[in-house]
Amino acid sequence: MKPANPSAPVPRPARNVRAGLATGGLVLLLALAACGVERDPDSGEDITAVPRYHADAPAEVIQGERGDVALRLVADGLVRPWSLAFLPDGDMLVTERPGRLRRISAGGTISAPLGGVPKVFLQGQSGLLDVAVAPTFADDRLVYLSYGEPNWRGNKGGTAVARGRLGESGLEDVQVVFRQEPKLSHGTHMGARIVFDDQGFMFIGTGDNRSAATAQLLDHLQGKVVRLHPDGSVPGDNPFVGREGARPEIWSYGHRNIQGMALHPETRVLWSHEHGPMGGDEINLPQPGRNYGWPLATHGQDYSGGPVPEAVGTSVEGAEEPHHYWPVSPAVSGMAFYTGGAFPEWHGNLFVGALAGQALIRLELDGDRIVHEERLLQGRDRIRDVRAGPDGFLYLLTDGTDGKLLRLEPAAASR
C-alpha cells in the first residue's frame, strides 16, 4: 500500500517486510524448481503439465455455412503449443513454446520431450516456435525448428532456425542455419514460420522485434522474409545479393510480425500473413525485393489509440498494398490451404487461425482473390496453428497452458 503522501519516505520496516516477502518468494520458486515444477517467467503459471491423448473423445457437431462439421479433442495438456507438422508415417511433431518438442503417434501415444532442441529465449511471445519437416525427410530425416535465440547476455533474443536429424529420442547433429541479426527482441514480434518451396528453397518469416523502423532497414533482418538454401547458404539470385548495405538473405521487407506462411496449391506462390498493430492484420504474396510498407503504411492504429508514429497513411509510394487486410485485428496465426478429400466443399479454401478473434477463419478464393470469409468455432479458443492432415482432416492447436490439439472431421463420419 502506498503512503497517503506520495512524497513521504517509506518507513524502513515496510521495506524489510517487502524484502522478506521477495526472499520468501524466491525460496518458494527454488523449492518448486527442485520438485520439478517449471514456471512461466512472465505469468508464473505452472508449465510442467503432462499432455494427455484422448482416443475416444466424443465429437461435437458444429454448424457451418457449407454444412455441419465435427470437432474432436485429440490431446490436451500441451503448454503453449505453437506449431505442428506431419511426418510421412502420419505421426505429428508438436512444439511447446517453453522449449519442448513432442512426437504424437498415429496410434495415440505422446512422447516425452525430445532431445536436441536448442536453448530458447523464453520470454513473452518468444520460445520454441515453428517446426517443419524437410521435403527430403525420407532420405535425410531432417527437421527444422524456429525459435527465439538468446544473445550472449541472455537479456534479448532474435529468431533463429536450427535443423537436426530425427532419431529415436530426439534431434541429432543439430546445427543453426539462420540467425536474425541484430538481436533486439525483449520477447515480442519473433515471427517465425518456415516454408519450403518446390525448388527446395527455405523461406522464413521474421518479426520486427517491436522495433518497427528496422523493418525498412536492409542491413537488419527484422521484419523480413528471408530465402535460403536448406543448409543456410544464400541463393545467388536473391534480390539483394551484391548490394552494399543490404543483407543477402532478404527476399522481401517491410513486414511487422509474420506468423503464417503457405504455398498456394495451384500457383505455388508464397502467401503470408502478419499481425498489424490495433487493426490492419494483412495477407501478402511476398515477391522478391518488394517493400510491404510497415511501419510507413498500415491500416491499423498504435496501441495508444493514435496513429502509428512512423506511418504516413494506409499506403506509401514504392510499397505494395496488402493483398487482403482486416480493419479489426483477429490476431492471425497459422495458415493452410485445403486440398484434401474429406471436405470437398472446402477445396482450395485458405484457413487461418485467430488468437484474439478466437476463431478458425475460412477464406474462399476466386483465383488469388479472397471473395468470402466465414468464422468457425467463434469465441471458443485462441487458435495458434492450423494444418491439413494426410487423412484429409484439419488439425488445430489452441494457445494456452492447457493447450489442445483438435481435429475437424466431416459430421457424417463422426456419427
Side-chain angles (χ1 to χ4, degrees):
M1 180 180 294
K2 293 183 179 179
N5 179 2
S7 63
V10 179
R12 185 173 298 277
R15 285 205 302 269
N16 291 338
V17 168
R18 282 199 293 274
L21 289 173
T23 302
L26 176 60
V27 171
L28 177 60
L29 287 175
L30 291 173
L32 289 170
C35 295
V37 175
E38 188 177 359
R39 295 286 176 181
D40 182 271
D42 295 314
S43 68
E45 293 176 288
D46 181 1
I47 54 175
T48 328
V50 177
R52 301 165 295 274
Y53 192 91
H54 297 270
D56 300 312
E60 178 185 354
V61 175
I62 306 294
Q63 291 184 335
E65 293 178 357
R66 296 286 186 175
D68 294 347
V69 297
L71 180 68
R72 194 183 298 275
L73 175 66
V74 177
D76 59 7
L78 296 161
V79 178
R80 302 287 179 196
W82 210 91
S83 177
L84 69 92
F86 285 91
L87 295 169
D89 62 2
D91 287 5
M92 285 174 275
L93 295 175
V94 176
T95 60
E96 295 176 278
R97 195 158 53 78
R100 297 189 280 264
L101 175 68
R102 298 185 189 270
R103 184 168 183 163
I104 301 179
S105 76
T109 60
I110 302 177
S111 76
L114 301 178
V117 175
K119 179 183 179 181
V120 303
F121 180 59
L122 181 59
Q123 186 168 314
Q125 301 161 5
S126 181
L128 184 59
L129 305 173
D130 206 10
V131 56
V133 176
T136 53
F137 181 86
D139 298 321
D140 55 29
R141 300 188 63 79
L142 286 175
V143 170
Y144 289 73
L145 299 173
S146 71
Y147 59 101
E149 181 185 53
N151 64 8
W152 66 274
R153 291 180 176 175
N155 65 337
K156 290 184 181 180
T159 299
V161 172
R163 70 176 185 177
R165 302 183 193 282
L166 183 63
E168 289 298 319
S169 59
L171 299 181
E172 303 165 354
D173 304 320
V174 176
Q175 61 178 155
V176 178
V177 296
F178 170 76
R179 284 188 166 100
Q180 186 183 48
E181 295 174 342
K183 287 179 168 57
L184 300 176
S185 178
H186 291 282
T188 52
H189 293 198
M190 307 297 292
R193 295 290 178 181
I194 306 168
V195 168
F196 292 93
D197 73 4
D198 296 336
Q199 288 73 48
F201 293 114
M202 176 174 63
F203 292 87
I204 305 164
T206 73
D208 69 0
N209 295 172
R210 282 299 289 276
S211 181
T214 61
Q216 292 291 319
L217 300 180
L218 294 178
D219 60 349
H220 285 55
L221 291 174
Q222 279 74 19
K224 310 299 192 294
V225 173
V226 303
R227 176 182 180 250
L228 301 170
H229 290 297
D231 64 359
S233 60
V234 176
D237 61 348
N238 269 10
F240 296 105
V241 167
R243 177 168 166 176
E244 186 177 355
R247 297 292 302 235
E249 302 97 324
I250 296 171
W251 180 256
S252 62
Y253 65 104
H255 301 284
R256 186 172 183 268
N257 190 20
I258 294 174
Q259 290 198 356
M261 293 201 306
L263 291 181
H264 189 285
E266 295 179 1
T267 65
R268 310 310 291 167
V269 169
L270 180 70
W271 287 49
S272 71
H273 66 50
E274 61 193 75
H275 289 256
M278 285 180 57
D281 289 9
E282 297 179 2
I283 291 177
N284 292 298
L285 280 58
Q287 296 296 306
R290 303 287 180 86
N291 179 3
Y292 288 83
W294 175 256
L296 305 178
T298 178
H299 287 268
Q301 291 183 309
D302 189 67
Y303 293 118
S304 66
V308 172
E310 301 91 342
V312 297
T314 57
S315 63
V316 63
E317 186 177 355
E320 305 298 311
E321 296 280 351
H323 187 71
H324 179 80
Y325 73 91
W326 288 269
V328 177
S329 291
V332 289
S333 186
M335 172 184 279
F337 287 95
Y338 184 78
T339 58
F343 301 99
E345 66 276 14
W346 287 349
H347 187 81
N349 288 185
L350 178 62
F351 286 85
V352 171
L355 296 166
Q358 294 188 313
L360 176 64
I361 301 173
R362 182 181 68 86
L363 298 170
E364 293 181 12
L365 307 181
D366 179 4
D368 279 343
R369 292 191 309 115
I370 295 169
V371 295
H372 180 69
E373 174 179 319
E374 178 187 13
R375 297 203 178 189
L376 297 158
L377 314 180
Q378 185 77 49
R380 300 170 60 97
D381 277 299
R382 290 165 50 87
I383 305 296
R384 170 60 74 183
D385 200 12
V386 51
R387 304 282 175 154
D391 52 12
F393 301 152
L394 278 176
Y395 288 78
L396 315 174
L397 287 175
T398 71
D399 180 60
T401 52
D402 183 18
K404 302 174 182 64
L405 172 61
L406 305 172
R407 183 171 65 224
L408 275 179
E409 312 167 356
S414 69
R415 296 190 177 100

